[in-house]
Amino acid sequence: MREIKALRVDISRAGLDTLAGRKAPRARVLLIAGRPGSGRTALAEELVRDLERGYRDGVLRARLTEPGGEAVPVGRVARALLDDLGVAAPAGAGEDDLGELLRTALRDRRALLLLDDAADAGQVDALLPDNPECLVVAIAHGPLTGIPDVRPCTVGGLDAKAAVDLLGTYAGSVRITVDPQAAETLAELCAGQPAALVLAGGWLAAHPAASVADLAKRLRAVPDDEGRPAALRPLARAFRLAYEALPAPGARALRLLALAPLGAVDPQTLSALAGCSMSTAASLLDGFVALGFVREAPRGRYEVPGCLMPFLRERLAAEDRPAETQLARARMLERTVRLLQSCRAVTEPEGAPARRRLAGLPRALRFPGRGAAAEWLDLRQPALLASARLAVADGELDTLARRLIAALVRALAAHRGTEAAAPELYGLHQLVLGVAERRGLHRERAAALLNLADLDAGTGRTRDALARYRAALDAARLADDPYATGRAMESVGGAYQELGDWQRAADWYGRALAQRLARDERADQARLYGRLGAVHAYAGRYGEALRNWRAAAARYRRLGDVPGRARALSEAARVQEYAGRPEDSLRTCEEAVEWARRAGDARLHAALRLRLADTLDRLGDPTAARLHRVAAERLLGPGGSAAQPGTADRGFLGHPAPSAWEIRSSSRKS
């Protein structure tokens, strides 16, 4: 094909930097320009297949415009490309940070990027690798003004022979052979546009008694829409002819596909949209494929071509009442919620309430096992996230949107864990926050802010987290929600602790503790006494620290939490050591060891034995110290180590325990 040859020549063409004697600083961009339906994506894919062997790090694909015509945010595209490269990106990272991460990841790679349907030059420029070993193939409506040294290869449609051949794949060679002139006329009426030719071929396949000349005559009789750009009129005529040949139920099902998120559909989705059975939906989809309205995708899925989406939306708006459209959307979202609930329930142990409820669901909504559910979640994730965004943007389905987001959050956390799913969870919590602010839902706003702040804190954005924790506290107070209020106050204290502001941390922990004391929430009291003990120790206020750790130990004793009591006593012993009271530390540590033994926690018991051994060494009793170390090794078994998270050699809050020097240094700075 001449376009492929021209594009290959463009790769080897000397760029402006080369002509100026400079090394090219960035990847070369090949631009394929054309209207949707002109075959530009097919040409790009053919070029990529032709070139991919020369790029050892593979092909990365991204779509830069959604089927509805909205530009995809650069940050979302960059994150998806980073996922394809296996590079982790922090939850909540900004667009600039994600772009820089992508450029860093591609700096030493030789990769081929296919960027489909670019809305403008800015999108492509933000994703362009700073590496001339990479190549970018971009697809757009027109020139990408602003990116230097780009020559567009403009696609206007197939030549006459290729267009007739494409018709023959649908209509069969006989009808083409008996009337080649009519076939050429039909190809001309379709302007050589593959999407229009596919629809024309589908019509011929569905009408085996009709000749090619019959179709050409019908197509010529379809009036032009004068308000539509001339380049889109051939596709519009072909769509209208093919659509109006459908029976009423099929036409309704087809136009409802305009509601499918990202144009991705399967029998479940169409069944919910059209209110029909799964078998009927599957038959409809197969029929739409044969007619050229829909194309098959891997693993039982289907896609609506982006070039047809505007026509489907027009038909939906013209032929369906808004209430009917909203009902179809609600059915689709409700089906998605139930599938997500089923997806999560399958991770629960046998006999759990969620598993019992799962058994009562229709077979179509159940997964045969955890693996199948995880595969479905992974495959459908882009469409599920798009469903959540669309439901929130709708503005009239907020209750259903919140249920959908909650179900998606739980399914992602159940299958991947909160840490692995953090980037997706961050976006979902932002959506919940938007709904809560729009509806004045203070409790939901507080919850969303707390979740977002936790994710900020987990990625080191402590000051951002602090601002969100304070906003969550205000929302929780407006909602008169004591749990969220206490949680927010404690989290504000934690943020100040992370920032090294021990005084403010202690103040906020004290406020949270006062609330827990007033409500007699003893487990929370014990934890907060421990947090106060930790920050007082960091500030060098050893007397206050010791009192709080002793109070924590007493609360754990009343709760019957033996491991908690052992850990609190071990921290009290640590504080006594920092305060220069080794004999007292020894006695307290011995008490902690005894409680750890009673708890039956071998790792904790071993860690405290090692702590006791260190104290005995400092007190000049190496023999006793050696005995405790031997006992610790015996508890841990071969190859064991007590220096693991969760042992007493870590701080009470899960952070590495500070050394005495660190405590005293921070105290002097304060």
Side-chain angles (χ1 to χ4, degrees):
M1 185 184 286
R2 57 183 174 79
E3 290 91 349
I4 295 290
K5 290 178 181 177
L7 288 163
R8 289 191 68 93
V9 168
D10 198 33
I11 297 172
S12 57
R13 174 178 58 84
L16 297 176
D17 288 291
T18 304
L19 292 172
R22 298 186 299 266
K23 182 180 178 181
R26 308 181 81 184
R28 170 66 65 85
V29 178
L30 300 182
L31 173 60
I32 298 174
R35 288 282 183 179
S38 62
R40 55 187 189 162
T41 300
L43 175 62
E45 288 287 359
E46 186 176 347
L47 176 66
V48 166
R49 286 193 295 273
D50 193 41
L51 297 175
E52 63 182 333
R53 286 191 299 273
Y55 292 86
R56 63 175 183 270
D57 294 301
V59 179
L60 300 171
R61 289 176 171 82
R63 186 174 179 83
L64 304 190
T65 303
E66 292 190 346
E70 305 85 4
V72 181
V74 170
R76 193 189 303 162
V77 178
R79 187 179 289 282
L81 292 172
L82 286 165
D83 286 344
D84 292 341
L85 289 167
V87 177
E95 187 174 288
D96 291 343
D97 292 334
L98 290 166
E100 184 58 35
L101 269 175
L102 179 62
R103 284 188 289 276
T104 301
L106 291 171
R107 190 165 294 153
D108 299 317
R109 286 179 163 92
R110 183 173 171 81
L112 179 56
L113 277 71
L114 176 56
L115 304 179
D116 194 1
D117 207 4
D120 54 49
Q123 273 185 312
V124 176
D125 187 66
L127 300 166
L128 201 56
D130 294 331
N131 176 7
E133 293 295 306
C134 292
L135 177 68
V136 174
V137 177
I139 302 168
H141 286 187
L144 296 177
T145 306
I147 299 179
D149 206 22
V150 177
R151 294 181 181 176
C153 172
T154 304
V155 179
L158 302 176
D159 59 38
K161 182 180 183 308
V164 170
D165 288 345
L166 180 57
L167 281 172
T169 61
Y170 284 85
S173 59
V174 174
R175 279 190 282 183
I176 301 297
T177 303
V178 298
D179 197 349
Q181 187 173 357
E184 289 182 9
T185 301
L186 182 57
E188 186 179 342
L189 287 169
C190 292
Q193 295 179 5
L197 290 163
V198 166
L199 290 172
W203 188 95
L204 285 169
H207 298 80
S211 68
V212 176
D214 290 335
L215 176 57
K217 183 179 178 181
R218 287 171 179 267
L219 196 57
R220 193 180 287 110
V222 174
D224 269 336
D225 182 351
E226 297 298 332
R228 202 181 297 277
L232 291 178
R233 290 174 194 170
L235 178 57
R237 284 199 304 269
F239 175 83
R240 180 172 175 177
L241 180 70
Y243 173 80
E244 290 180 351
L246 293 172
R252 175 176 175 272
L254 178 64
R255 61 183 180 264
L256 285 172
L257 293 184
L259 303 177
L262 301 183
V265 67
D266 56 17
Q268 282 276 15
T269 305
L270 182 54
S271 168
L273 284 169
C276 63
S277 68
M278 287 271 291
S279 59
T280 300
S283 297
L284 283 168
L285 285 170
D286 289 337
F288 294 154
V289 170
L291 291 170
F293 290 114
V294 170
R295 53 179 173 242
E296 288 186 272
R299 296 152 80 178
R301 296 176 301 143
Y302 301 82
E303 294 174 352
V304 180
C307 61
L308 298 186
M309 270 295 189
F311 304 122
L312 293 179
R313 286 194 171 89
E314 288 172 9
R315 289 287 179 167
L316 188 65
E319 299 182 38
D320 293 84
R321 292 195 296 269
E324 293 173 340
T325 301
Q326 196 72 315
L327 179 60
R329 183 181 284 112
R331 282 197 305 265
M332 177 184 67
L333 294 176
E334 182 63 41
R335 177 76 62 91
T336 305
V337 169
R338 297 179 74 190
L339 282 165
L340 285 166
Q341 290 170 340
S342 174
C343 180
R344 174 181 175 269
V346 80
T347 67
E348 296 284 328
E350 290 291 343
R355 288 298 287 264
R356 289 198 295 271
R357 288 193 296 272
L358 180 61
L361 290 175
R363 184 181 297 277
L365 297 178
R366 298 200 304 264
F367 295 95
R370 182 172 185 145
E375 182 182 8
W376 175 85
L377 184 63
D378 185 59
L379 187 67
R380 295 288 296 167
Q381 179 179 297
L384 291 168
L385 294 172
S387 293
R389 291 192 296 268
L390 291 169
V392 170
D394 180 275
E396 297 181 9
L397 297 170
D398 281 347
T399 300
L400 193 48
R402 285 155 54 205
R403 289 181 57 229
L404 171 64
I405 293 169
L408 183 50
V409 165
R410 293 187 185 111
L412 287 168
H415 282 278
R416 298 186 193 162
T418 303
E419 186 175 348
E424 290 77 24
L425 299 181
Y426 199 95
L428 292 169
H429 293 316
Q430 285 180 315
L431 291 175
V432 172
L433 180 60
V435 173
E437 289 177 339
R438 183 165 67 207
R439 295 287 184 178
L441 304 171
H442 300 306
R443 181 174 283 106
E444 285 82 353
R445 180 168 176 263
L449 285 165
L450 286 170
N451 287 323
L452 286 166
D454 288 344
L455 291 167
D456 282 331
T459 51
R461 297 191 298 273
T462 309
R463 293 196 180 278
D464 292 340
L466 178 58
R468 280 199 161 117
Y469 284 135
R470 283 184 169 277
L473 178 58
D474 293 339
R477 285 171 171 162
L478 286 171
D480 194 22
D481 185 336
Y483 169 78
T485 300
R487 162 88 153 77
M489 287 193 292
E490 184 174 347
S491 298
V492 169
Y496 277 123
Q497 179 178 346
E498 191 68 27
L499 293 169
D501 191 337
W502 318 124
Q503 184 58 50
R504 283 194 174 92
D507 176 45
W508 282 99
Y509 285 149
R511 296 186 198 191
L513 176 60
Q515 188 208 44
R516 302 301 190 188
L517 288 168
R519 295 175 59 82
D520 197 29
E521 294 167 341
R522 296 183 183 180
D524 295 316
Q525 293 168 20
R527 185 184 64 256
L528 283 160
Y529 274 122
R531 286 183 172 269
L532 279 165
V535 294
H536 283 311
Y538 269 111
R541 295 189 290 269
Y542 301 126
E544 286 292 322
L546 186 58
R547 279 193 290 276
N548 279 285
W549 280 119
R550 286 288 187 188
R555 290 301 189 284
Y556 283 121
R557 177 177 60 80
R558 291 173 195 167
L559 288 166
D561 186 343
V562 179
R565 184 179 184 186
R567 290 189 178 93
L569 287 170
S570 76
E571 295 299 326
R574 192 194 298 273
V575 171
Q576 288 169 327
E577 181 184 339
Y578 296 156
R581 295 161 53 187
E583 291 83 2
D584 291 341
S585 177
L586 179 63
R587 285 192 292 274
T588 306
C589 198
E590 286 173 339
E591 185 182 357
V593 167
E594 173 58 21
W595 284 107
R597 185 190 65 77
R598 294 186 191 182
D601 187 333
R603 189 171 291 278
L604 174 62
H605 189 183
L608 290 174
R609 288 269 190 185
L610 293 173
R611 171 86 60 76
L612 193 54
D614 291 341
T615 304
L616 287 165
D617 274 335
R618 282 189 284 274
L619 288 172
D621 192 349
T623 303
R626 187 165 55 254
L627 289 173
H628 281 291
R629 286 196 175 91
V630 170
E633 290 170 5
R634 192 180 304 118
L635 284 164
L636 291 169
S641 170
Q644 297 292 330
T647 70
D649 279 342
R650 310 266 312 168
F652 185 82
L653 304 177
H655 300 292
S659 66
W661 182 86
E662 289 174 315
I663 290 287
R664 288 170 186 143
S665 295
S666 63
S667 175
R668 283 196 295 273
K669 289 175 185 174
S670 299

